[in-house]
Amino acid sequence: MSWIIAIALVFALAVGCFFLLVGSFSLLKLSDFFKRLHGPTKASTLGVGCVLIASVGYHAFAGTDPQPRELLITAFLFITAPISAHLMAKAALSLHMAEQPPMPGAGSTPGTDGDDHDQEQPST
């Protein structure tokens, strides 16, 4: 395997890990259900795809045993992740989760979550 291919595979792994980290961070830090649903489904799907592409590339260029299960994992992930996100969003919409008040103790300090529409404007 040449060093150019090795660098490309390392770059794919780094990009995949970056997107997985962003997806995990958004799951932990975003405020409501729909924001939390969006981050992991988009970023983590792209991250896992990059990691699996790097794995398939490694096996292809190293001359080792071809691994069809990696392609099957990728296909399964790309098919099931959008469907499961869509079903969770439909369930949340039918339960009117966007209209429910925040849970006690789950609130944040005003102005720290990026939502400025809750703050009252000073009268002039």
Side-chain angles (χ1 to χ4, degrees):
M1 180 176 356
S2 71
W3 61 274
I4 295 174
I5 293 171
I7 288 174
L9 294 177
V10 167
F11 181 73
L13 278 176
V15 169
C17 290
F18 171 75
F19 280 112
L20 287 172
L21 182 66
V22 168
S24 301
F25 185 75
S26 64
L27 180 64
L28 290 175
K29 291 297 181 181
L30 291 180
S31 59
D32 66 354
F33 176 77
F34 293 104
K35 292 177 184 174
R36 286 184 174 183
L37 181 65
H38 182 73
T41 55
K42 303 301 183 251
S44 297
T45 301
L46 185 59
V48 169
C50 287
V51 169
L52 288 173
I53 286 171
S55 177
V56 169
Y58 173 76
H59 287 291
F61 291 113
T64 59
D65 189 23
Q67 301 292 325
R69 65 178 165 235
E70 294 163 343
L71 294 175
L72 291 175
I73 291 170
T74 305
F76 180 75
L77 179 75
F78 287 157
I79 291 170
T80 58
I83 292 171
S84 62
H86 178 73
L87 291 176
M88 285 191 283
K90 272 185 87 171
L93 286 174
S94 68
L95 294 173
H96 303 285
M97 289 185 69
E99 299 167 1
Q100 293 179 353
M103 299 292 288
S108 61
T109 305
T112 58
D113 59 350
D115 292 334
D116 293 336
H117 55 77
D118 293 337
Q119 297 178 353
E120 294 182 18
Q121 298 295 324
S123 61
T124 54

